[in-house]
Amino acid sequence: MKLLVINPNISDDVSALIRTEALRAAAPGTEITVRTARSGVEYIETRLESLLAAPAVSQIIAEDAGDADAVMVAAFGDPGMPALKELVDVPVVGITEAALATASLLGARFSIVAISGRITAWYRECVGRNGLESRLASIRSLRTPLRGIGSVQQDFRADLVRLANEVVDSDGADVVILAGAPLAGLAREVAAEIPVPVVDGISAGVAQAEVLVRLAPGTHRGGSFAAPPAKANAGLSPELAGLLARQLPIRK
Amino acid sequence: MKLLVINPNISDDVSALIRTEALRAAAPGTEITVRTARSGVEYIETRLESLLAAPAVSQIIAEDAGDADAVMVAAFGDPGMPALKELVDVPVVGITEAALATASLLGARFSIVAISGRITAWYRECVGRNGLESRLASIRSLRTPLRGIGSVQQDFRADLVRLANEVVDSDGADVVILAGAPLAGLAREVAAEIPVPVVDGISAGVAQAEVLVRLAPGTHRGGSFAAPPAKANAGLSPELAGLLARQLPIRK
Amino acid sequence: MKLLVINPNISDDVSALIRTEALRAAAPGTEITVRTARSGVEYIETRLESLLAAPAVSQIIAEDAGDADAVMVAAFGDPGMPALKELVDVPVVGITEAALATASLLGARFSIVAISGRITAWYRECVGRNGLESRLASIRSLRTPLRGIGSVQQDFRADLVRLANEVVDSDGADVVILAGAPLAGLAREVAAEIPVPVVDGISAGVAQAEVLVRLAPGTHRGGSFAAPPAKANAGLSPELAGLLARQLPIRK
Amino acid sequence: MKLLVINPNISDDVSALIRTEALRAAAPGTEITVRTARSGVEYIETRLESLLAAPAVSQIIAEDAGDADAVMVAAFGDPGMPALKELVDVPVVGITEAALATASLLGARFSIVAISGRITAWYRECVGRNGLESRLASIRSLRTPLRGIGSVQQDFRADLVRLANEVVDSDGADVVILAGAPLAGLAREVAAEIPVPVVDGISAGVAQAEVLVRLAPGTHRGGSFAAPPAKANAGLSPELAGLLARQLPIRK
Amino acid sequence: MKLLVINPNISDDVSALIRTEALRAAAPGTEITVRTARSGVEYIETRLESLLAAPAVSQIIAEDAGDADAVMVAAFGDPGMPALKELVDVPVVGITEAALATASLLGARFSIVAISGRITAWYRECVGRNGLESRLASIRSLRTPLRGIGSVQQDFRADLVRLANEVVDSDGADVVILAGAPLAGLAREVAAEIPVPVVDGISAGVAQAEVLVRLAPGTHRGGSFAAPPAKANAGLSPELAGLLARQLPIRK
Amino acid sequence: MKLLVINPNISDDVSALIRTEALRAAAPGTEITVRTARSGVEYIETRLESLLAAPAVSQIIAEDAGDADAVMVAAFGDPGMPALKELVDVPVVGITEAALATASLLGARFSIVAISGRITAWYRECVGRNGLESRLASIRSLRTPLRGIGSVQQDFRADLVRLANEVVDSDGADVVILAGAPLAGLAREVAAEIPVPVVDGISAGVAQAEVLVRLAPGTHRGGSFAAPPAKANAGLSPELAGLLARQLPIRK
């Protein structure tokens, strides 16, 4: 299968981290293409930055999803989701929803460890949008300004492990989610230092996207995720306008 | 006060309806400017169409909010909200959240009457994002294809009144919200035919925006709605990039 | 418009604070009449004290609402609400519900700063009755006995500002509600010392009552807030009995 | 033990029904005193009527609870509760909360069968105030005007049994609550015609009050149900003022 | 009435504590039979240990409930509940659900004081299964390893009283539940040291079981707690197979 | 990887259906072993039948999980879950939780189509235990008695497709879950007749188990899913007692 991975942050450093972890996680036969947003911000921490990133993500889908079997949106907080599931007939998966689905199978309650205090409100709302507040034990985060987004996991490894242990010991977490594409791959390295399962969004996203392709549950030809009704539009890129012109979604 | 009203739909017909009702609702001294989205779709019914509208809305705010005291986003479902509240230091109000706040003062449970079946999933999620599911009695909608977006209230007046009575009689609604900018102003005309208070999003939005300006509760210099932290960005319009370059939000 | 403001506490000191802030908040053309409960307690802190205040509030409405366009119940916790909305055909607004509606437009989560520990349980239940638990970040309160109810804001200004900053920094509040009529007007004075919008119940109540009058959404002739069915009663004041004798609520 | 039973409705007919069922339900050694509200309405169906009944109920408690071991408030919807629990040091139990507690032990989800459509909104809010919405399968009610409040169970026996069967067959109820003091005793008569356990508020209230007396779990000398702090009051009956003058609640 | 009390723990020490408290709590005329699980663990602290205990509990019911009027499952966390309610036509009550129902009548929010940290997750899920999360103020627990399960209340009396006071002072509890059969009877001894009502599961369970027998609300001949449909089974004890062979549950 | 699949029903017919679909769903390299419960009932429809099945499931895990990389419990409703996750150090996945996790990635709200009315209460509680009530659009079921459990999908294909279309058209489902091992494999056959994605528990369970093995998130050495503390036990099979004797869970 072909998986289109989109980094909604404009940072190539983060795209490299995503690519490395995605390749490690992919099943044999999965081809990974990583694309980086051409507009937006260096690292999405807020609702607004997520909104600013969404056009670039939708444009990449419109340009490149034509021969993909699935799309993965690789920023925690899932910019543009679930709206983007209406855009194409193949599965579109956010790394947060994939991490939450995976964590939900590993224990009763999970906590999220994040890299900035500001980011936690947006993450909390994302968990809420997924209807999983009752399973969220806590969100804890670094409180120190970052030196650079590409080196967070090196710079703060010990702090992140400490936070992960705190959510288990003090907040009742059964599972820890290390949140944010800049932490891609860290879960593998620190799992032995954390007494419960540790979930990484990138690898969870790749694996869940593969599941959705392999199970082939069918497309949305009805319901609230079908392609929107045909109507006049303006100012959209030719690629997006082309997707909206689909009258009848067709099974891939 | 100056109120910038943004129609996230590209339809000038709907902008005209919005303008008329906004002027009727405005207090003496409120200046209304209505702007229409330059990109997006004719009438937003889905999550994806909302996502496609958001860039145009944020661009209008970036261009024109400089001397506004408040901004109103005039499509039910509140495209781009609450993210847009992070963008400027003046209040940004969606007509759904304004209608919900207003309805919440008029009774215990409210219902929404909408103009298409497809639109109801998006509206339901918007109520959920506002944390008010427990006060939503029901959503009922027209099921017939529309002849045109500008004439919905003429074409379907009787059906809409019937739906409004059904939600009172069968669903336990204490308040009815006539949802969607295309119904702007209809509430005034049909209130006598509906046995409970009827709320219109446009007039509620104008009135609530005026309240927020007059109360002057202060701006977000901290918390999760402050301007995002300074960081690199790319591909944004000069106006949006300019707003993001604010380091310290300043009280208007 | 004429707004009848009722202080459910028997304290004239608090009525004076309420009057001052209500006048500051009122739009041009709003006439404010403030009435003080003739029975009840000095300052309502508990469910029982709220229950004891309700008869005096309903009696004042029955006596004086005849030519009012709206009624405001000016104690946080909203004694007698939402029951009192069934009593007359004009809007009856509590300052808590008005503060919550206003705060809900200013951010995602709000906290309440209160003047006694005992009062917090009652406030929490009031937020719950409004269905807004998921948006309540926290309630924090003074823990020191008050010298007098009329001088709370002078005596504890610094403590209240400190609590307001704590709910932003530690509890994730996007908006602070300074709760209780004895704090009427304090929000204006301390807004600059608190990094998020600050809402005052009295001014929010006045402004929201004005909105409901101006929007004229219609009265409850059906649904669960219509006047109760005609039936035998006993022991009520002539004024209350008179209101209950309305068979068909008539639009003002 | 001595149980003070208060009918918040002014109807002596209903008091007689309550007395008969309370005596049938009482354990040996329980002395039942039934008092009827001197003010209020014939039959409480709304929030407002509940508010109007509360002063009479609190006055009876203040007058007569002095030698009672427990108090039962015998109108479904629990007028004045939970505030009245703050008033005296003995348990005060509403028949709704008692029915809900009892039903919760008999199955997963319960439904309420009520005697008027108007009453259902108030009942639903009462279930909500008890935090049990997730266990409420449905509320169904008679829709025909009543001939008289004292003869409801005779006049509508067949309809009530039909409604009880409908909630089992269509709404997934595991337990049926026949709601309202006018139905006191009906559960015993119709149990054989309903395929799940049937709970009556009056007998549940008596039994639960007995449980609370026998278990003697202790009084509220702290927490949010302790007697309110001493403070000035006005316009209260001597008996109520006397109760409020208690400085330190004393164990009975 | 005859009450079959089952200790799902294999510990005879705990059975003795249960018997003593059950006898103290029982009404005149209640005959108590206590049976101890023959398989399972010494003291149930986890979901798995609860699962391992359930077969022994169901077997005792199948063997001994034939002439019982009610069954009480005497381990906090209610192993096997609510499934066991489907097994026989008499009421089956868990001590947790009985404690929760009792506590719910004594205040708005309750806390649970438990004897080990590990046990709290299981208790929290049990409260959730009863739909009462919104009334749970907190769970606090001992953190020290126990010397022996039969002497917990002697060994940790002071710590347990301290925890009970903490939940009132810091967590807003109106009622304290001392959880776990090993604490049977402690509530009576420490009530004077805790400023709110204190509920003991064993005595609450006995009292509530008596209520259900005396009210005789009827059996489950329909709904989701009726005896399961007849079908092939295998490997069950003769007693359990015999119970399943009931085609039509018969009123006792 | 080696996947131990356990059919908690005693029916070999259903085990055959499970095996066929599991093999179709498995990735290359996954070895499937299917075991059938030796005790319990032909087809689990109720909480009690689930409880009766759990000992057989735990016994099979204790006997056979020694060289498995993951365990799948193949009855909808997830008998014994989540308790069984505490039993071994490899992932234990129920087909309901796997179907819910998978469905949650395909749309906002899902419905369950079931094969008997009685079974729906148990399924609803299972969704609730997973914290996903807010995403459950509805449960609809066959109402006709089954001819045989092995032929349900042949006998009722048209009815099941009709129910699946009803939940989309009337209940707002974005995804349909065909529930119950007897429907294993049906989703593949009917996907073209249903306008939204259709999820099958068996294939979802296999795929999710593979994900958990491949991601290797680590085991529970702490938190509420670690192996229970060492303590006395009795009456357990040697295999179960052996598992409980593990003092320190060891990473596989």
Side-chain angles (χ1 to χ4, degrees):
Chain A
M1 65 162 280
K2 292 170 199 255
L3 176 62
L4 172 63
V5 174
I6 302 170
N7 176 14
N9 302 296
I10 60 171
S11 157
D12 289 324
D13 281 5
V14 174
S15 294
L17 287 168
I18 292 168
R19 181 180 292 107
T20 303
E21 179 61 15
L23 290 171
R24 270 191 298 217
T30 297
E31 289 176 40
I32 306 275
T33 304
V34 179
R35 293 283 312 271
T36 307
R38 287 188 297 259
S39 64
V41 301
E42 184 188 9
Y43 184 62
I44 303 170
E45 288 179 289
T46 81
R47 308 166 189 92
L48 177 63
E49 292 171 341
S50 176
L51 180 148
L52 295 173
V57 176
S58 56
Q59 179 59 24
I60 293 173
I61 294 178
E63 291 173 3
D64 290 354
D67 68 343
D69 296 284
V71 176
M72 179 172 110
V73 178
F76 218 81
D78 292 353
M81 299 294 280
L84 296 170
K85 292 181 200 281
E86 298 178 16
L87 187 57
V88 283
D89 295 343
V90 297
V92 183
V93 177
I95 65 171
T96 313
E97 61 180 355
L100 297 176
T102 305
S104 74
L105 298 172
L106 289 164
R109 298 208 297 162
F110 50 81
S111 285
I112 295 173
V113 171
I115 67 174
S116 83
R118 179 66 191 266
I119 217 167
T120 59
W122 179 43
Y123 284 0
R124 185 177 302 276
E125 292 172 15
C126 182
V127 174
R129 202 179 63 222
N130 282 275
L132 286 165
E133 302 90 333
S134 68
R135 298 186 69 173
L136 179 66
S138 63
I139 302 179
R140 295 203 179 206
S141 72
L142 298 177
R143 294 283 163 177
T144 320
L146 308 181
R147 282 198 315 146
I149 200 63
S151 62
V152 179
Q153 48 183 292
Q154 286 75 38
D155 298 348
F156 292 97
R157 186 188 198 284
D159 296 283
L160 293 161
V161 168
R162 180 181 47 75
L163 290 170
N165 277 274
E166 284 175 9
V167 298
V168 176
D169 295 341
S170 302
D171 305 338
D174 301 313
V175 185
V176 173
I177 298 172
L178 294 179
L183 301 186
L186 181 63
R188 295 175 189 270
E189 292 181 27
V190 299
E193 300 166 52
I194 298 169
V196 299
V198 185
V199 172
D200 165 86
I202 299 299
S203 54
V206 170
Q208 294 292 352
E210 291 171 345
V211 164
L212 298 185
V213 172
R214 208 168 81 224
L215 295 180
T219 56
H220 294 280
R221 289 154 296 149
S224 75
F225 284 92
K231 64 185 65 162
N233 61 58
L236 304 177
S237 74
E239 295 83 4
L240 281 168
L243 278 179
L244 291 184
R246 291 173 310 165
Q247 294 278 337
L248 289 174
I250 297 155
R251 247 168 194 279
K252 194 188 158 64
Chain B
M1 66 162 279
K2 294 170 198 254
L3 176 62
L4 173 62
V5 174
I6 302 171
N7 176 13
N9 302 296
I10 59 171
S11 158
D12 288 323
D13 281 4
V14 174
S15 293
L17 287 168
I18 292 169
R19 180 179 293 107
T20 302
E21 178 62 16
L23 290 171
R24 270 192 298 219
T30 297
E31 289 177 39
I32 306 276
T33 304
V34 179
R35 291 284 311 272
T36 307
R38 289 189 296 260
S39 65
V41 300
E42 184 188 10
Y43 184 62
I44 303 170
E45 289 179 289
T46 81
R47 307 166 190 93
L48 176 64
E49 292 171 341
S50 175
L51 181 149
L52 295 174
V57 176
S58 56
Q59 179 59 23
I60 293 173
I61 294 177
E63 290 173 4
D64 290 354
D67 68 346
D69 295 284
V71 176
M72 179 172 109
V73 178
F76 219 82
D78 291 353
M81 299 293 283
L84 296 171
K85 292 182 200 280
E86 298 178 15
L87 186 57
V88 283
D89 294 343
V90 297
V92 183
V93 177
I95 63 170
T96 313
E97 61 180 354
L100 297 176
T102 305
S104 75
L105 298 172
L106 290 164
R109 298 207 298 162
F110 49 82
S111 285
I112 295 174
V113 171
I115 66 173
S116 83
R118 178 64 190 266
I119 217 167
T120 59
W122 179 43
Y123 284 0
R124 186 177 302 276
E125 292 172 13
C126 183
V127 174
R129 201 181 63 221
N130 282 274
L132 287 165
E133 302 90 333
S134 68
R135 298 186 69 174
L136 179 65
S138 62
I139 302 179
R140 294 202 180 207
S141 72
L142 298 177
R143 294 282 163 178
T144 320
L146 308 180
R147 281 197 317 144
I149 200 63
S151 62
V152 179
Q153 46 183 297
Q154 285 76 37
D155 298 347
F156 292 96
R157 188 189 196 282
D159 296 284
L160 293 162
V161 169
R162 181 180 47 74
L163 290 169
N165 277 274
E166 284 174 9
V167 298
V168 177
D169 295 340
S170 303
D171 305 338
D174 300 314
V175 185
V176 173
I177 299 172
L178 293 180
L183 300 187
L186 181 63
R188 294 176 190 270
E189 294 181 27
V190 298
E193 300 166 51
I194 298 168
V196 299
V198 185
V199 173
D200 165 86
I202 299 299
S203 54
V206 170
Q208 293 293 352
E210 290 171 346
V211 165
L212 298 185
V213 172
R214 208 168 81 225
L215 296 180
T219 55
H220 295 279
R221 289 153 295 150
S224 76
F225 284 91
K231 64 186 64 161
N233 61 58
L236 303 177
S237 74
E239 295 83 4
L240 280 168
L243 279 178
L244 291 184
R246 291 172 311 166
Q247 295 277 338
L248 288 174
I250 296 155
R251 247 170 194 277
K252 191 187 161 61
Chain C
M1 65 161 279
K2 292 172 200 257
L3 176 62
L4 173 63
V5 173
I6 302 171
N7 176 14
N9 303 296
I10 60 171
S11 159
D12 289 325
D13 282 6
V14 174
S15 294
L17 287 167
I18 292 168
R19 180 179 293 107
T20 303
E21 178 61 14
L23 289 171
R24 268 191 299 218
T30 296
E31 289 176 41
I32 307 274
T33 304
V34 179
R35 292 283 313 270
T36 307
R38 287 188 298 259
S39 64
V41 300
E42 185 187 8
Y43 185 63
I44 302 170
E45 288 180 290
T46 82
R47 308 166 189 92
L48 177 63
E49 293 172 341
S50 175
L51 180 148
L52 295 173
V57 177
S58 56
Q59 179 58 24
I60 292 173
I61 294 177
E63 291 173 4
D64 291 354
D67 68 343
D69 296 284
V71 177
M72 178 171 110
V73 178
F76 218 82
D78 292 352
M81 299 294 281
L84 296 170
K85 291 181 200 281
E86 298 177 16
L87 187 55
V88 284
D89 296 342
V90 298
V92 184
V93 177
I95 63 170
T96 314
E97 59 181 355
L100 297 176
T102 305
S104 74
L105 298 173
L106 290 163
R109 297 207 298 161
F110 50 82
S111 285
I112 294 174
V113 170
I115 67 174
S116 83
R118 179 65 190 266
I119 218 167
T120 58
W122 179 44
Y123 284 0
R124 186 176 301 277
E125 292 173 13
C126 183
V127 174
R129 201 180 63 223
N130 282 275
L132 286 165
E133 302 90 334
S134 67
R135 298 185 69 174
L136 180 65
S138 63
I139 302 179
R140 294 202 179 206
S141 72
L142 298 177
R143 294 284 163 176
T144 320
L146 308 181
R147 281 197 318 144
I149 199 63
S151 62
V152 179
Q153 47 183 295
Q154 287 74 39
D155 298 348
F156 293 97
R157 186 188 198 284
D159 296 284
L160 293 162
V161 168
R162 181 181 45 75
L163 290 170
N165 277 274
E166 285 175 10
V167 298
V168 177
D169 295 341
S170 303
D171 304 338
D174 300 314
V175 185
V176 173
I177 298 172
L178 294 180
L183 301 187
L186 180 63
R188 293 175 191 270
E189 294 181 26
V190 298
E193 300 167 52
I194 298 168
V196 299
V198 185
V199 173
D200 166 87
I202 299 300
S203 55
V206 170
Q208 293 293 352
E210 291 171 345
V211 164
L212 298 186
V213 172
R214 208 167 80 224
L215 295 180
T219 56
H220 295 278
R221 290 153 294 149
S224 76
F225 283 92
K231 64 185 66 162
N233 61 57
L236 303 178
S237 74
E239 294 83 4
L240 281 168
L243 278 179
L244 290 185
R246 292 173 308 167
Q247 295 278 336
L248 289 174
I250 297 155
R251 248 173 193 276
K252 193 188 159 63
Chain D
M1 66 161 278
K2 292 171 200 256
L3 177 62
L4 173 62
V5 173
I6 302 171
N7 176 13
N9 301 297
I10 60 170
S11 159
D12 288 324
D13 282 5
V14 174
S15 293
L17 287 168
I18 292 169
R19 181 179 293 107
T20 303
E21 178 61 15
L23 290 171
R24 270 192 297 219
T30 297
E31 289 176 41
I32 307 276
T33 304
V34 179
R35 292 285 311 272
T36 308
R38 287 190 296 261
S39 64
V41 300
E42 185 188 8
Y43 185 62
I44 303 170
E45 288 179 289
T46 81
R47 308 166 189 92
L48 176 64
E49 292 171 341
S50 175
L51 180 148
L52 295 173
V57 176
S58 56
Q59 180 58 24
I60 293 173
I61 294 177
E63 290 173 5
D64 290 354
D67 69 343
D69 295 285
V71 177
M72 179 171 110
V73 179
F76 218 82
D78 293 352
M81 300 293 281
L84 297 170
K85 292 181 198 280
E86 298 178 15
L87 186 57
V88 284
D89 295 342
V90 297
V92 184
V93 177
I95 64 170
T96 313
E97 60 180 356
L100 297 177
T102 306
S104 74
L105 299 172
L106 289 164
R109 298 208 298 162
F110 50 81
S111 285
I112 295 174
V113 171
I115 67 173
S116 82
R118 179 65 190 266
I119 218 166
T120 58
W122 179 43
Y123 283 0
R124 187 177 302 275
E125 292 173 13
C126 183
V127 174
R129 202 180 63 223
N130 281 275
L132 286 164
E133 301 90 334
S134 69
R135 298 187 68 174
L136 179 66
S138 62
I139 302 179
R140 294 202 180 207
S141 72
L142 298 178
R143 293 283 163 178
T144 320
L146 307 181
R147 282 198 316 145
I149 199 65
S151 62
V152 179
Q153 46 184 296
Q154 286 75 36
D155 298 348
F156 293 97
R157 186 189 198 282
D159 296 285
L160 293 161
V161 168
R162 180 180 47 74
L163 290 169
N165 277 273
E166 284 174 9
V167 298
V168 177
D169 295 340
S170 303
D171 305 338
D174 300 314
V175 186
V176 173
I177 298 173
L178 294 179
L183 300 187
L186 181 63
R188 293 175 191 271
E189 294 182 27
V190 298
E193 300 166 52
I194 298 168
V196 300
V198 185
V199 173
D200 165 87
I202 299 299
S203 55
V206 170
Q208 293 294 352
E210 291 171 346
V211 164
L212 298 186
V213 172
R214 208 167 81 223
L215 295 180
T219 56
H220 295 279
R221 289 154 295 149
S224 75
F225 284 91
K231 64 186 65 161
N233 61 58
L236 303 177
S237 74
E239 295 82 4
L240 280 167
L243 278 178
L244 291 184
R246 292 172 309 166
Q247 294 278 337
L248 289 174
I250 297 155
R251 247 169 195 277
K252 193 185 158 66
Chain E
M1 66 161 278
K2 292 171 199 257
L3 177 62
L4 173 61
V5 174
I6 302 171
N7 176 14
N9 301 297
I10 61 171
S11 158
D12 288 324
D13 282 5
V14 173
S15 294
L17 287 167
I18 292 168
R19 180 179 292 106
T20 302
E21 178 60 15
L23 290 170
R24 270 192 298 219
T30 297
E31 289 177 42
I32 306 276
T33 304
V34 180
R35 292 285 311 271
T36 307
R38 288 189 298 260
S39 65
V41 300
E42 185 187 9
Y43 184 62
I44 302 170
E45 288 179 290
T46 81
R47 308 167 189 92
L48 176 64
E49 292 171 343
S50 176
L51 180 148
L52 294 173
V57 176
S58 56
Q59 179 60 22
I60 292 173
I61 294 177
E63 290 173 5
D64 290 354
D67 69 344
D69 295 284
V71 176
M72 179 172 110
V73 178
F76 219 82
D78 293 351
M81 299 292 282
L84 296 170
K85 292 182 200 279
E86 298 177 15
L87 186 57
V88 284
D89 295 342
V90 297
V92 183
V93 177
I95 64 170
T96 313
E97 60 180 355
L100 296 176
T102 305
S104 74
L105 299 173
L106 289 164
R109 298 207 297 162
F110 50 80
S111 285
I112 295 174
V113 171
I115 66 175
S116 83
R118 179 64 190 266
I119 218 167
T120 58
W122 179 43
Y123 284 180
R124 186 176 302 274
E125 292 173 12
C126 183
V127 174
R129 201 181 62 223
N130 282 274
L132 287 164
E133 302 90 334
S134 68
R135 298 186 69 174
L136 179 66
S138 62
I139 303 179
R140 294 203 180 207
S141 72
L142 299 177
R143 294 284 164 176
T144 321
L146 308 180
R147 282 197 317 144
I149 199 64
S151 62
V152 179
Q153 48 184 293
Q154 287 75 37
D155 298 348
F156 293 97
R157 186 190 197 282
D159 296 284
L160 293 161
V161 168
R162 181 181 46 74
L163 290 170
N165 278 273
E166 285 174 9
V167 297
V168 177
D169 296 340
S170 303
D171 305 337
D174 301 313
V175 186
V176 173
I177 299 172
L178 294 179
L183 300 187
L186 181 62
R188 293 176 190 271
E189 293 182 27
V190 299
E193 300 166 53
I194 298 168
V196 299
V198 185
V199 173
D200 165 87
I202 299 298
S203 55
V206 170
Q208 293 294 352
E210 290 171 346
V211 164
L212 298 186
V213 172
R214 207 168 82 225
L215 295 180
T219 56
H220 294 278
R221 291 153 293 148
S224 76
F225 284 91
K231 64 185 66 161
N233 62 59
L236 303 177
S237 74
E239 295 82 5
L240 281 168
L243 278 178
L244 290 185
R246 292 174 310 166
Q247 295 277 338
L248 289 174
I250 296 155
R251 248 170 193 277
K252 192 188 159 62
Chain F
M1 65 162 279
K2 293 170 199 257
L3 176 62
L4 173 62
V5 174
I6 302 171
N7 176 14
N9 303 296
I10 60 171
S11 158
D12 288 324
D13 281 5
V14 174
S15 294
L17 287 167
I18 292 169
R19 181 180 292 107
T20 302
E21 178 62 15
L23 290 171
R24 269 192 298 219
T30 297
E31 290 177 39
I32 306 275
T33 304
V34 179
R35 291 285 311 271
T36 307
R38 288 188 298 259
S39 64
V41 301
E42 186 187 8
Y43 185 63
I44 302 170
E45 288 180 289
T46 82
R47 307 166 190 92
L48 176 63
E49 292 172 341
S50 175
L51 180 149
L52 295 173
V57 176
S58 55
Q59 180 58 25
I60 292 172
I61 294 177
E63 290 173 4
D64 290 355
D67 68 343
D69 295 284
V71 176
M72 178 172 110
V73 178
F76 218 82
D78 292 353
M81 299 293 282
L84 297 170
K85 292 182 199 280
E86 298 178 15
L87 188 56
V88 283
D89 296 342
V90 297
V92 183
V93 177
I95 63 170
T96 313
E97 61 180 355
L100 297 176
T102 305
S104 75
L105 298 173
L106 289 165
R109 298 207 297 162
F110 50 81
S111 285
I112 295 174
V113 171
I115 67 173
S116 84
R118 179 65 190 266
I119 218 167
T120 59
W122 179 43
Y123 284 0
R124 187 176 301 275
E125 292 173 12
C126 183
V127 174
R129 201 180 64 222
N130 282 275
L132 287 165
E133 302 89 335
S134 68
R135 297 186 69 174
L136 180 65
S138 63
I139 303 180
R140 295 202 179 207
S141 71
L142 298 177
R143 294 282 163 176
T144 321
L146 308 180
R147 282 198 316 145
I149 199 64
S151 62
V152 179
Q153 47 183 294
Q154 287 75 38
D155 298 348
F156 293 97
R157 186 189 198 284
D159 296 284
L160 293 162
V161 168
R162 180 181 46 76
L163 290 170
N165 278 274
E166 284 175 9
V167 298
V168 177
D169 295 340
S170 303
D171 305 338
D174 300 314
V175 185
V176 174
I177 299 172
L178 294 179
L183 301 187
L186 181 63
R188 294 175 190 270
E189 293 182 27
V190 298
E193 299 166 52
I194 299 168
V196 299
V198 185
V199 173
D200 166 86
I202 298 300
S203 55
V206 170
Q208 294 292 353
E210 290 171 346
V211 164
L212 299 185
V213 172
R214 208 168 82 222
L215 295 180
T219 56
H220 294 279
R221 289 153 295 149
S224 76
F225 284 92
K231 64 185 65 162
N233 61 58
L236 303 177
S237 74
E239 295 83 4
L240 280 168
L243 278 179
L244 291 183
R246 292 173 310 166
Q247 295 278 337
L248 289 173
I250 297 155
R251 244 167 196 279
K252 192 188 158 66

